[in-house]
Amino acid sequence: MTITEQFKAKRCVFSIECFPPKQTTQMDKLRAALQAMAALHPDFISVTFGAGGSAGGVSTVEVADVVQNACGVPALAHLICMGNDRARAAAILDELERVGVRDVLALRGDRTPTRPESADFAHASDLTAFIKQAKPGFSVHGACYPEGHPEAETLRQDVENLRIKQAAGAEHLITQLFFDNMHFYRFLNLARRAGITLPVSAGVMPIVKRSQIERTVALSSASLPSDFTRMISRWQDDPAALYDAGIDYAVRQLRDLIEGGADGIHLYAMNDAAVAQKVYDGIRDLL
């Protein structure tokens, strides 16, 4: 059953995200974590974009190969516009096809000094259309933002842009992380009214370490509800208590999303199998 088909067959699809390590020496550790995550029976595992190569890192293709062929879990490989042109994107798609991975999450990618703008793909919708043309047998997935993309003037404008992504061939959407479910429900209502019919997976990240707080929140631009800020204020200087509180917050958030009818839940586990296990234990009865 393909990832897209799972959304037609299941009440709520459960998925986990991982990222390629920056050094090949860390691959054994990730491989062990992926085996542990696979034991939770996720419906798919997504792999963020990593170019690998001379920088010493591991590529998305290498990790997706492990996920799908060694762990037996469908892999969703991220592919970004930034730093890639048609030739490079086509080569990566060929590599994915060789290892049997045919699901791709098309993203623009973050702007960084080391990644030039793509001459061929100004938007994720451009990359989506290219993948559907280059590999008609592939399924293409997309990202969405419950509180609006940081560069969009309004949430409504951002939702309208999803219509372009849907028309280009996207089959499923995964949200950026958020901490207040109200934003997800509001976004989903706007999307459905705008004609977005794609299944949407709600992305949640457990905050279990103080080092995650500023970095994660700053990068995601997610707003912070009072329950979350109280948790951080109370436990930020107590690592063990913050860990438990962060797990509990994510579990409560996910349980509400599942019971609220989310098509899928997507766990940003940060390669931490222990966190994934604890969160899964808290929601498994609903799945």
Side-chain angles (χ1 to χ4, degrees):
M1 187 185 299
T2 68
I3 293 175
T4 302
E5 289 170 343
Q6 293 188 60
F7 285 94
K8 299 174 184 177
K10 299 193 174 187
R11 174 173 171 265
C12 184
V13 171
F14 169 53
S15 56
I16 303 173
E17 182 165 293
C18 71
F19 59 88
K22 293 182 179 179
Q23 299 295 329
T24 55
T25 54
Q26 299 171 318
M27 190 58 193
D28 285 344
K29 181 179 179 181
L30 177 60
R31 192 175 283 108
L34 290 173
Q35 290 287 359
M37 291 179 191
L40 306 180
H41 307 293
D43 295 302
F44 66 89
I45 294 177
S46 75
V47 185
T48 65
F49 185 76
S54 59
V58 178
S59 73
T60 298
V61 176
E62 292 175 83
V63 178
D65 186 12
V66 171
V67 168
Q68 187 148 310
N69 298 312
C71 298
V73 178
L76 172 60
H78 294 209
L79 182 59
I80 65 173
C81 300
M82 301 297 292
N84 287 318
D85 56 16
R86 285 174 174 265
R88 177 59 182 150
I92 294 172
L93 294 174
D94 286 343
E95 292 174 23
L96 288 169
E97 190 169 40
R98 277 195 290 272
V99 299
V101 174
R102 292 177 172 80
D103 283 275
V104 177
L105 179 64
L107 305 162
R108 189 197 69 185
D110 296 328
R111 288 191 168 97
T112 69
T114 58
R115 284 178 180 161
E117 296 278 348
S118 172
D120 295 323
F121 310 120
H123 306 287
S125 55
D126 300 325
L127 180 57
T128 298
F130 172 76
I131 297 169
K132 295 300 289 187
Q133 179 183 35
K135 300 289 183 184
F138 275 39
S139 292
V140 186
H141 308 248
C144 57
Y145 299 80
E147 299 180 62
H149 191 281
E151 296 178 18
E153 291 187 10
T154 65
L155 177 59
R156 288 182 182 277
Q157 180 195 67
D158 197 37
V159 168
E160 284 298 319
N161 289 336
L162 289 177
R163 292 162 60 92
I164 302 172
K165 196 173 289 188
Q166 180 173 267
E171 300 174 23
H172 157 234
L173 300 171
I174 299 176
T175 76
Q176 171 65 282
L177 64 90
F178 57 92
F179 298 104
D180 187 339
N181 288 359
M182 177 194 70
H183 292 298
F184 174 78
Y185 295 128
R186 179 187 178 216
F187 159 78
L188 194 61
N189 182 51
L190 287 172
R192 297 304 184 222
R193 288 168 59 188
I196 306 301
T197 59
L198 307 178
V200 179
S201 290
V204 169
M205 178 185 287
I207 300 298
V208 296
K209 298 177 183 177
R210 184 172 180 172
S211 61
Q212 286 180 284
I213 298 170
E214 290 186 6
R215 182 177 69 247
T216 300
V217 172
L219 288 175
S220 69
S221 300
S223 60
L224 306 179
S226 58
D227 285 354
F228 182 86
T229 56
R230 279 198 300 269
M231 176 192 77
I232 297 301
S233 296
R234 183 175 184 182
W235 303 118
Q236 62 181 334
D237 295 319
D238 185 337
L242 179 60
Y243 185 94
D244 291 340
I247 295 291
D248 178 68
Y249 189 94
V251 166
R252 287 187 286 112
Q253 191 179 356
L254 288 164
R255 291 185 69 86
D256 178 81
L257 290 165
I258 297 168
E259 292 174 332
D263 301 311
I265 52 169
H266 189 65
L267 182 62
Y268 293 104
M270 302 301 290
N271 291 5
D272 192 325
V275 167
Q277 177 73 65
K278 287 181 178 294
V279 171
Y280 177 71
D281 287 344
I283 62 174
R284 64 192 305 173
D285 61 306
L286 298 182
L287 296 173

